[in-house]
Amino acid sequence: MVKNFFHILRLKKILAKVKSFEKEMASLSDLDLQKKTDEFKKRLADGGNLNQLLPEAYAVVREADKRILGMFPYDVQVLGAIVLHEGNVAEMATGEGKTLTATMPLYLNALSGQGAMLVTPNSYLALRDAKEMGPVYRFLGLTIETAVRADETKPLETKEKRRIYQADIIYTTNSALGFDYLIE
């Protein structure tokens, strides 16, 4: 119980850091907000790490979510996003905003240049979420693809899959990812 208490305190400190950038990000023009992506990539190339960038990068995505989607992630969604970035499971009920929550860790991890994936149980969710959240990533200068089709009877060609997996952010399904791994 004590361990959980300190874990929650640590997460809330990170949340406070994210929130400390809120006014700064809101004051930026669209162009200046978009330039943050290149700034973050440069900071990573200069020896920074994703954990150092997390508070500011999450603040950028929150502001982009607000401007592009008209939705501003709540504190609980930011906490979930921090937990996801750390490689843990964040349990959220239907309607609590998992799709919006995922924009933050996907953006952050895509900055590394190694790609970031969101894996869903079915193609409907992968296609829907990529369509709904894609404008945020594109606004911030990242590429996004889906590794599934609405018509699952028409498989993707190998050349097309290679192009898809070069994107900054990929939405896919567990079965498509498993088969792509086995085939390649």
Side-chain angles (χ1 to χ4, degrees):
M1 183 141 151
V2 172
K3 182 179 178 183
N4 286 342
F5 174 76
F6 288 113
H7 180 67
I8 292 168
L9 275 180
R10 185 182 63 77
L11 292 174
K12 286 187 175 186
K13 284 182 182 179
I14 298 169
L15 171 63
K17 288 179 187 176
V18 173
K19 292 175 73 166
S20 74
F21 287 102
E22 192 173 319
K23 287 181 183 172
E24 177 185 339
M25 297 309 154
S27 73
L28 296 176
S29 68
D30 283 355
L31 183 59
D32 287 336
L33 190 64
Q34 292 167 325
K35 287 180 182 179
K36 287 290 189 179
T37 298
D38 287 335
E39 177 189 321
F40 294 148
K41 287 180 178 182
K42 181 174 179 352
R43 285 165 51 185
L44 285 171
D46 291 344
N49 66 58
L50 294 177
N51 292 331
Q52 292 167 335
L53 292 179
L54 186 149
E56 190 175 357
Y58 277 23
V60 165
V61 178
R62 287 178 91 200
E63 183 62 28
D65 286 339
K66 183 171 78 174
R67 292 182 192 189
I68 304 303
L69 304 174
M71 297 185 281
F72 192 69
Y74 293 108
D75 290 358
V76 68
Q77 292 167 315
V78 177
L79 288 168
I82 295 165
V83 168
L84 289 174
H85 169 70
E86 292 178 348
N88 296 307
V89 175
E91 183 178 352
M92 297 174 77
T94 300
E96 285 189 322
K98 293 180 287 292
T99 304
L100 188 62
T101 296
T103 59
M104 291 169 274
L106 284 170
Y107 172 77
L108 176 65
N109 285 276
L111 295 171
S112 71
Q114 296 176 2
M117 279 188 202
L118 187 133
V119 182
T120 68
N122 62 62
S123 58
Y124 168 78
L125 289 173
L127 293 165
R128 181 202 70 184
D129 293 357
K131 181 180 179 183
E132 289 179 6
M133 301 299 121
V136 172
Y137 305 125
R138 287 185 200 96
F139 172 81
L140 292 171
L142 298 177
T143 58
I144 175 175
E145 294 288 344
T146 54
V148 293
R149 287 193 175 159
D151 182 355
E152 294 177 1
T153 64
K154 296 180 181 177
L156 296 166
E157 300 289 326
T158 302
K159 188 176 181 178
E160 191 175 7
K161 286 182 187 180
R162 285 197 177 103
R163 180 189 59 76
I164 288 167
Y165 284 110
Q166 294 301 310
D168 295 313
I169 297 171
I170 301 113
Y171 280 74
T172 190
T173 65
N174 50 346
S175 59
L177 184 60
F179 282 113
D180 288 348
Y181 175 78
L182 291 173
I183 291 169
E184 295 303 312

